[in-house]
Amino acid sequence: MLKLLTTRAFKQIGYPKQVPYKLTFVVTNKCNSHCETCFIWDIYRQDVTKLKDELKTEEFTKILDSMKNDLFWLNITGGEPTMRTDLPDIVKYASDNCKNLGMINFPCNGIVPRIVIDSYTKIIESVRSDIDVYVTLSLDGPKEVHDKVRGTAGNYDSVMACFEGLKKLEEKHKNFHINFQATVSKLNIDSIKGHIDDIYKLADFNIITFAQEAYLFKNKNKSITIVGQDTYKKKLVDAIHYALEKIKVDTPQKVIQKIYLKLAIEFLQTGKLPIACSSSFATVTVDPYGEVTPCPFMGTSVGNLKNYNYNMKQVMYDHEAVKLQNQLRKGKCPECWMNCEAYPSIFDQFLPAMIKYAT
């Protein structure tokens, strides 16, 4: 909270220059899933030559050097992050060199338990004990439903094998946390309530979100979204209310989660953001090739770090980046209500969010 307040104050007066406190690293577009709601896995199938353009380890470390003490929250995603063999090295560098780093989180498809468990074992054994590490296993329904949504036979069983292995790390390391994320779509809406019951029996802090068409997922015009579709809206709103009942408010994280879900209902019903988005102000995203975007879901680049000597401050204080930041602060992006960007927006505008939550 202190980091958020100082970031906001320094941003408003323009000195000293700071970068957003949350960085989303899309470390790779390699993915061993074949999801029906996301098509990142198809990128290199269409053009494998693009793989050579992904950032190298030393390029990631230069970016982290440019953010240094401004960085509090590191979100590492993909593709499937564990498909990068240097993932533990990148994370260790962040831990060793970003003194105010307090949280790192990873989504995980759990397809190859051996690699997943090995990667996160190396990571948790190398990061500082004051950094909370969250691994969120994607699980979208019971076995038959999940495997169909993910396009991968046996994926449900491999996720559960990952959960068992990572649970042992959680028992050993107080700063390691394992949970689930369920993404609600047309493909699983009819089984989602029972699935919510199932995941809350295994973990008490889970993420419920919903499929949307976005730049990150490479699924624009794929007709997978259920946002704004009256056919599914009532079912989705009912599912959100059901999830809200499952959340026991005993930690600050769960408070934010309940606010996020309650405000999601407003977004679904109106198609408008319930509060202004804080992306590019509180958060920033770097894709696997060095392009900087306000968030993972908006495809508007404000510059490529390779052209700025990997210096995030230079990119974020460039004229085009500042102009886009001002537009977003005025609520001019009704693109999505995804937890990746919604949570920081709630932190940034906690009082307005609480008022909407209470009414």
Side-chain angles (χ1 to χ4, degrees):
M1 185 59 70
L2 177 61
K3 181 60 183 171
L4 172 61
L5 292 173
T6 56
T7 297
R8 180 191 294 169
F10 292 149
K11 282 278 190 179
Q12 288 174 342
I13 64 176
Y15 182 84
K17 287 187 175 180
Q18 288 196 331
V19 293
Y21 65 84
K22 181 186 176 185
L23 169 64
T24 294
F25 257 161
V26 186
V27 293
T28 185
N29 279 331
K30 289 192 290 185
C31 189
N32 45 6
S33 273
H34 294 83
C35 299
E36 295 190 26
T37 56
C38 168
F39 293 85
I40 294 175
W41 56 268
D42 198 40
I43 293 173
Y44 295 139
R45 194 178 72 166
Q46 296 293 330
D47 184 4
V48 72
T49 63
K50 285 181 64 66
L51 179 58
K52 64 178 175 51
D53 296 327
E54 289 196 349
L55 295 170
K56 307 298 185 291
T57 312
E58 58 271 20
E59 293 175 296
F60 281 116
T61 59
K62 288 178 182 178
I63 297 167
L64 290 167
D65 282 339
S66 78
M67 301 186 75
K68 279 288 187 181
N69 301 333
D70 292 343
L71 186 62
F72 172 75
W73 182 351
L74 180 58
N75 173 31
I76 295 183
T77 186
E80 169 52 40
T82 59
M83 293 191 76
R84 280 197 73 120
T85 57
D86 62 350
L87 182 63
D89 299 323
I90 295 169
V91 176
K92 185 178 187 305
Y93 191 90
S95 172
D96 290 345
N97 293 276
C98 302
K99 72 175 186 180
N100 289 321
L101 185 61
M103 180 166 62
I104 310 174
N105 70 284
F106 308 83
C108 181
N109 64 26
I111 287 180
V112 186
R114 176 182 56 81
I115 293 176
V116 168
I117 295 167
D118 180 63
S119 293
Y120 290 116
T121 299
K122 290 177 180 176
I123 285 170
I124 196 58
E125 290 179 350
S126 69
V127 302
R128 303 193 319 259
S129 60
D130 62 322
I131 298 175
D132 282 304
V133 176
Y134 293 85
V135 177
T136 304
L137 291 167
S138 297
L139 199 64
D140 293 335
K143 185 173 182 176
E144 297 77 10
V145 173
H146 178 76
D147 288 0
K148 183 178 187 306
V149 172
R150 295 284 160 167
T152 307
N155 192 184
Y156 181 93
D157 290 337
S158 64
V159 167
M160 297 311 297
C162 285
F163 178 74
E164 292 302 320
L166 296 176
K167 193 71 179 172
K168 294 176 182 177
L169 286 181
E170 186 178 54
E171 292 167 358
K172 185 177 178 181
H173 299 275
K174 292 183 179 179
N175 60 325
F176 186 82
H177 313 278
I178 177 70
N179 59 356
F180 296 99
Q181 173 168 309
T183 301
V184 187
S185 70
K186 299 175 183 178
L187 302 171
N188 64 354
I189 185 67
D190 290 326
S191 61
I192 198 65
K193 286 186 179 179
H195 180 54
I196 290 171
D197 283 334
D198 291 341
I199 60 176
Y200 271 95
K201 289 174 184 175
L202 296 169
D204 67 352
F205 179 74
N206 299 292
I207 296 171
I208 311 296
T209 187
F210 37 91
Q212 296 180 75
E213 295 177 17
Y215 166 75
L216 172 68
F217 306 131
K218 305 298 183 285
N219 62 1
K220 287 285 190 178
N221 302 315
K222 297 288 188 179
S223 299
I224 61 92
T225 185
I226 54 178
V227 175
Q229 294 197 28
D230 291 339
T231 306
Y232 298 97
K233 187 184 297 181
K234 185 179 184 304
K235 289 183 178 180
L236 183 51
V237 170
D238 286 347
I240 292 173
H241 281 299
Y242 192 76
L244 282 165
E245 294 173 2
K246 291 289 179 181
I247 301 170
K248 298 177 181 178
V249 181
D250 52 12
T251 65
Q253 294 96 325
K254 292 179 184 178
V255 173
I256 300 301
Q257 188 185 32
K258 291 203 79 163
I259 296 172
Y260 161 72
L261 287 173
K262 178 73 179 291
L263 269 55
I265 295 172
E266 180 177 340
F267 175 72
L268 291 167
Q269 292 176 334
T270 66
K272 298 178 181 179
L273 294 177
I275 56 176
C277 183
S278 291
S279 61
S280 83
F281 176 83
T283 72
V284 68
T285 295
V286 177
D287 82 358
Y289 317 109
E291 295 291 343
V292 179
T293 60
C295 74
F297 312 110
M298 179 187 287
T300 305
S301 174
V302 295
N304 191 299
L305 281 156
K306 295 177 181 179
N307 300 325
Y308 290 80
N309 197 28
Y310 305 96
N311 190 315
M312 185 65 80
K313 279 190 172 70
Q314 289 184 17
V315 176
M316 295 309 295
Y317 282 86
D318 186 273
H319 172 73
E320 288 303 314
V322 172
K323 184 169 72 173
L324 186 56
Q325 288 170 27
N326 291 334
Q327 291 175 354
L328 292 170
R329 294 295 282 174
K330 294 176 182 177
K332 293 188 177 180
C333 179
E335 193 79 15
C336 70
W337 183 249
M338 296 290 287
N339 49 291
C340 298
E341 300 303 314
Y343 282 19
S345 298
I346 293 168
F347 297 151
D348 186 29
Q349 299 162 83
F350 190 71
L351 183 58
M354 277 298 295
I355 291 171
K356 280 184 171 286
Y357 171 75
T359 56

